[in-house]
Amino acid sequence: MPGAALRLLCGVLLPAAVLRAEPLPRVAFAAGDPRRPLARFSLPNVSDYDALLLRGDEDELYVGARDRLLALAVGGPGPPLATASLPWAPTAEKASECAFKKKSQETECFNFIRVLVALNRTHLYVCGTYAFSPACAYVDLENFTLVASGRGQPFLDGKGQCPFDPQHTHTALLVDGELYAGTMNNFQGNEPIISRSLGGRPALKTDAFLRWLAADAAFVASFSAPGDDKVYFFFEETADEFDFFERLLVPRVARVCKGDVGGEKVLQKKWTTFLKAQLVCAQPGRFPFNVIQHAFALPRRAGRADFYAVFTAQWQAGGSAVCAYSQESVEQVFEGKYKELNKESSRWTVYGGPDMSPRPGSCSVGPSSDKALTFLKDHFLMDGKVLPGRGEPLLVRAGVKYTRIAVDEPRGLAGTAYRVLFLGTADGFLDKAVELPGAPHVVERIQLFPAPEPVKNLLLAPGKGLLYVGYSGGVLQIPLANCSGYRSCAECLLARDPYCAWDGHNRSCRPARLAGAHASGWLQDVETGQPAAACHRGRSGAAPRARGGPDGAAVETLSPPLHAVVRLPCPRRSALAAYAWQQPGEPPGAAAALLPDHTLLVLMRRGAAGAYRCQATENGYTWTVAHYLLREPAGAEEAPGRPAAGHHRSYWPQFVTVTVLLAVTLAAAACVAFGAYHEQLKARRKVRGCGAAPPPGRPEKEPLRAEAPPPPAAAPPARCLQLRDADADDGAERLPA
Ligand SMILES: *[C@@H]1O[C@H](CO)[C@@H](O)[C@H](O)[C@H]1NC(C)=O
Ligand SMILES: *[C@@H]1O[C@H](CO)[C@@H](O)[C@H](O)[C@H]1NC(C)=O
């Protein structure tokens, strides 16, 4: 039995407890939450805003949508504005050819823009699927028009640069005026290709006959660090180097050299430097995350980059991992041993023959010998595997499918560079996580759309502090952070958001980049998030007392009438905190009930007045998130007349009146109409001892049943009689004819 299968079996047997705790987003924002407003751009009758390209100064965003190219003015305070719109739909002839080939006229026979690159200051180069007949064109930025190729053809043939099928993944990269593309090269979608075109040199491609790529290779990203002499491609394909009982997908990285010009006798017009290797992203003893969804390269100094990739698992539903690879670890594998296919046994083994110089596939200057090229024809797969940094995933989330990743590197107060991962999901969420020496910290999660749909593209504009999201219905623009949402020093530090720091002079949480070089009086603690030491040291750290509570929670004073039920919400400012109420009374909380969302219901009695504080304890630090002062009821013993102000208004008098009237009416009606059934009917009535009018606008069935403290017994049952709607309806149905 192969090792991989054994590992899988062990994975099934390992208890879940062995796994590292999964990092939860500290704050989650629902779609439309004003704390994380999204600026939206969309045009009527335009869909699939898949391709995004930002001009160098981050002031103009080019968008490739279905049958249309757009130029948007961005980076200002407002939402993106269209400055130019260029329709580019397939001709009627192409569309009907597409339909004739049994492709859908509703969903497929359009021009989905896939390649969108800046050729030079004046021209873009774009390609689209063009109704299953890929086409490319130049865009003159002066007047935003397509430039015809001039040779009778309206557009250039996009075969080998752009997929035929909008469902197929692809990648394209412009380096030194040449287009490097990874895509499907045919209509059937079984001949993948890595190509180089444009520019002055001869076009190059992978050899289809030698099967350098499996027929299902699917490309997700490509990179070349500035100053590097290589181009990397990230993709997915069926592996045939493993004996495995079923189709096994592996994530791969391939490499070609920029200086490659193809062979002379051997490998004419083909890459002479193509090598590929397996990427590993797995937790020990678990199913590997073997399906790569997307990758991102974060350039480092000296022509190097770190690669970040998001993975899902072939055999495990709902779960994603992020793995990071240094370019050195990738290079090391490409410097290692080659695999070769043993023709007799049809098995892949390690090549054990003599070394050659220069090494086949290396980016050495000077022509390679025919011998080296012949060797390369069937030694393109490396034996070593590329392992992630620290040997394991950076981040693992169950039940989340990441589709896109972008990584930013903001500077913190002390000049430290932090790496912040922006992760888009298949159901329309954006997770923001900061990479830390220990476990990563998920700062926030933002729901992007009201209904689930995949994030198709993410593009950072770090200079403007913005992120663009491409999706089926438009483009979203999101600030990388909203520091003013953290309202106290403690919260600002607990958030551990590298973009934010506490400004002691202004007494507000503000963008860390505003601190400048000196940053005196500013506080930030991304690594540990410990406000205790920092915020209470000296004046600068103290939270604004003027607003009441020591942590910025203003005191809300309420004067509820006697017997009213007061609802005291406790805002969940952090999902990582534990919440507890501090309340007066003998014993404390005797007349209170706690809802699952930590809202406290207090029955207003003598002795229930006083200070109520909801406290959050997070990372060893306790802070007040809500602070209420309930006044001693003023009136006499009997039911008060005046409802309290604000959203804790009591509807007690109205409730009592309505309930009593309803009960009396129904009882009378029941007596008259049902006669003999009276007893039976009464038994069906569910009497709820409540004393609590459900707060207005909330579902009636929810309160008071959920948690341990029983409903206050003090309320006289007579006042609490309440017929359940269902029973009332039920009774009406049975009215005799
Ligand atoms: C940019 O590229 C286009 C297309 O190749 C070419 O016509 C144009 O002259 C170039 N412009 C500059 C400024 O190099
Ligand atoms: C930040 O959040 C606050 C509320 O906490 C909101 O009023 C403000 O509009 C938000 N600002 C931005 C730029 O998102």
Side-chain angles (χ1 to χ4, degrees):
M1 197 186 236
L6 260 177
R7 270 224 327 268
L8 294 183
L9 278 180
C10 298
V12 178
L13 299 174
L14 261 183
V18 176
L19 302 174
R20 212 165 56 180
E22 164 169 334
L24 279 179
R26 183 177 179 274
V27 192
F29 300 101
D33 192 311
R35 290 173 292 170
R36 286 307 251 138
L38 315 171
R40 195 174 298 266
F41 174 86
S42 74
L43 285 181
N45 303 322
V46 178
S47 66
D48 301 276
Y49 298 68
D50 294 339
L52 301 176
L53 172 69
L54 205 53
R55 206 171 64 189
D57 59 7
E58 300 183 358
D59 279 336
E60 192 153 41
L61 179 71
Y62 303 109
V63 182
R66 196 180 86 174
D67 291 349
R68 193 167 290 265
L69 271 168
L70 298 161
L72 310 183
V74 293
L81 276 179
T83 53
S85 171
L86 173 58
W88 187 24
T91 58
E93 190 193 347
K94 277 283 179 217
S96 67
E97 267 176 40
C98 173
F100 183 73
K101 291 180 203 159
K102 301 244 171 3
K103 300 296 175 187
S104 160
Q105 272 185 296
E106 274 74 50
T107 58
E108 296 178 304
C109 295
F110 297 98
N111 189 22
F112 295 88
I113 310 287
R114 289 292 176 257
V115 177
L116 180 57
V117 292
L119 207 58
N120 54 34
R121 273 192 296 118
T122 58
H123 286 75
L124 303 181
Y125 186 73
V126 289
C127 304
T129 58
Y130 210 75
F132 274 81
S133 172
C136 298
Y138 295 95
V139 179
D140 185 345
L141 288 175
E142 186 92 14
N143 44 17
F144 213 64
T145 50
L146 293 177
V147 181
S149 72
R151 270 176 267 126
Q153 289 287 100
F155 307 115
L156 310 162
D157 185 1
K159 189 172 178 290
Q161 298 177 344
C162 175
F164 288 66
D165 187 336
Q167 295 298 326
H168 282 146
T169 62
H170 79 290
T171 180
L173 183 71
L174 193 87
V175 184
D176 305 333
E178 292 174 301
L179 187 77
Y180 293 78
T183 185
M184 273 297 172
N185 195 33
N186 62 349
F187 178 86
Q188 292 78 9
N190 56 10
E191 189 198 311
I193 185 176
I194 292 176
S195 71
R196 187 180 72 195
S197 52
L198 305 184
R201 297 190 291 178
L204 293 182
K205 57 183 183 177
T206 39
D207 193 305
F209 177 75
L210 294 171
R211 293 187 53 85
W212 287 351
L213 296 165
D216 61 350
F219 296 91
V220 298
S222 51
F223 309 102
S224 181
D228 192 10
D229 57 355
K230 304 170 197 78
V231 179
Y232 295 93
F233 291 85
F234 289 80
F235 61 105
E236 181 69 46
E237 65 178 3
T238 295
D240 62 358
E241 71 261 35
F242 302 105
D243 302 320
F244 204 68
F245 53 87
E246 68 171 300
R247 186 171 158 250
L248 173 70
L249 292 173
V250 288
R252 297 228 199 257
V253 56
R255 179 187 96 172
V256 295
C257 297
K258 285 187 193 172
D260 200 336
V261 290
E264 278 172 7
K265 288 196 285 274
V266 183
L267 293 179
Q268 268 182 21
K269 296 184 182 171
K270 304 282 160 58
W271 296 107
T272 60
T273 54
F274 173 84
L275 294 173
K276 70 179 183 184
Q278 185 186 342
L279 294 169
V280 173
C281 185
Q283 288 172 299
R286 299 277 290 172
F287 285 110
F289 291 97
N290 62 328
V291 182
I292 188 168
Q293 298 287 339
H294 191 229
F296 186 91
L298 190 70
R300 279 189 274 124
R301 260 164 292 165
R304 306 244 153 216
D306 283 334
F307 302 117
Y308 288 79
V310 282
F311 297 86
T312 52
Q314 189 180 355
W315 296 288
Q316 194 169 259
S320 296
V322 180
C323 278
Y325 309 88
S326 70
Q327 190 169 334
E328 286 81 357
S329 65
V330 176
E331 302 272 284
Q332 208 179 357
V333 171
F334 285 125
E335 298 302 319
K337 289 192 157 57
Y338 303 90
K339 269 195 191 314
E340 65 180 358
L341 185 64
N342 185 316
K343 298 265 160 44
E344 276 133 48
S345 66
S346 318
R347 275 169 180 260
W348 286 86
T349 51
V350 184
Y351 167 73
D355 287 347
M356 263 178 260
S357 182
R359 197 182 145 82
S362 67
C363 299
S364 61
V365 278
S368 295
S369 65
D370 282 357
K371 190 168 157 251
L373 296 192
T374 308
F375 177 84
L376 205 67
K377 281 166 83 171
D378 39 29
H379 294 87
F380 49 86
L381 176 61
M382 305 316 298
D383 182 53
K385 295 170 185 161
V386 185
L387 300 177
R390 288 186 274 172
E392 57 176 349
L394 206 62
L395 176 71
V396 175
R397 295 288 313 271
V400 175
K401 184 182 176 189
Y402 289 131
T403 53
R404 301 292 290 196
I405 179 169
V407 184
D408 190 23
E409 202 170 26
R411 296 218 166 257
L413 279 191
T416 330
Y418 294 101
R419 293 186 169 186
V420 182
L421 319 180
F422 292 89
L423 300 153
T425 74
D427 56 355
F429 287 87
L430 179 73
D431 284 358
K432 175 171 127 188
V434 54
E435 185 183 345
L436 292 170
H441 170 66
V442 186
V443 179
E444 53 186 351
R445 150 167 276 219
I446 304 169
Q447 187 181 15
L448 300 172
F449 323 113
E453 68 162 293
V455 170
K456 291 287 195 60
N457 209 340
L458 290 181
L459 183 64
L460 282 166
K464 303 281 185 191
L466 295 170
L467 176 74
Y468 296 98
V469 180
Y471 68 105
S472 74
V475 176
L476 296 179
Q477 174 184 293
I478 305 166
L480 298 180
N482 181 2
C483 301
S484 62
Y486 308 123
R487 295 189 298 198
S488 62
C489 179
E491 205 178 351
C492 190
L493 267 70
L494 284 168
R496 302 166 76 184
D497 189 326
Y499 294 99
C500 302
W502 180 254
D503 177 356
H505 302 300
N506 266 292
R507 296 177 171 268
S508 58
C509 194
R510 301 172 71 204
R513 70 187 149 78
L514 299 181
H518 307 299
S520 79
W522 287 70
L523 297 171
Q524 191 183 43
D525 183 6
V526 179
E527 284 80 7
T528 61
Q530 301 275 344
C535 285
H536 296 289
R537 189 192 306 132
R539 276 190 67 237
S540 73
R545 277 180 193 280
R547 290 175 62 192
D551 293 293
V555 182
E556 211 175 321
T557 306
L558 301 168
S559 312
L562 203 62
H563 301 309
V565 172
V566 189
R567 207 168 160 263
L568 304 178
C570 175
R572 265 176 78 87
R573 307 282 303 166
S574 165
L576 307 183
Y579 293 87
W581 279 93
Q582 283 199 337
Q583 43 185 303
E586 266 314 316
L594 193 63
L595 300 187
D597 68 350
H598 302 288
T599 295
L600 191 70
L601 298 179
V602 179
L603 174 72
M604 210 50 213
R605 302 187 303 181
R606 300 264 166 238
Y612 287 78
R613 266 198 208 96
C614 185
Q615 296 195 313
T617 302
E618 178 175 3
N619 214 358
Y621 182 81
T622 302
W623 52 303
T624 302
V625 286
H627 191 174
Y628 305 93
L629 204 59
L630 296 195
R631 290 246 175 84
E632 194 76 43
E637 290 296 307
E638 242 334 283
R642 180 180 58 89
H647 60 285
H648 304 293
R649 271 167 64 144
S650 164
Y651 289 91
W652 185 253
Q654 291 93 327
F655 170 70
V656 170
T657 318
V658 169
T659 311
V660 168
L661 279 179
L662 185 73
V664 167
T665 317
L666 282 173
C671 288
V672 174
F674 289 90
Y677 299 111
H678 185 241
E679 283 306 305
Q680 199 187 333
L681 183 74
K682 213 170 81 180
R684 286 180 53 81
R685 283 179 187 164
K686 302 266 181 358
V687 176
R688 293 163 88 198
C690 54
R698 286 190 65 92
E700 191 205 312
K701 290 174 185 164
E702 180 196 321
L704 286 175
R705 286 200 284 165
E707 285 227 338
R719 288 185 175 182
C720 283
L721 245 181
Q722 196 181 358
L723 284 173
R724 267 195 5 198
D725 291 351
D727 290 359
D729 289 345
D730 213 23
E733 259 171 50
R734 286 158 188 252
L735 279 176

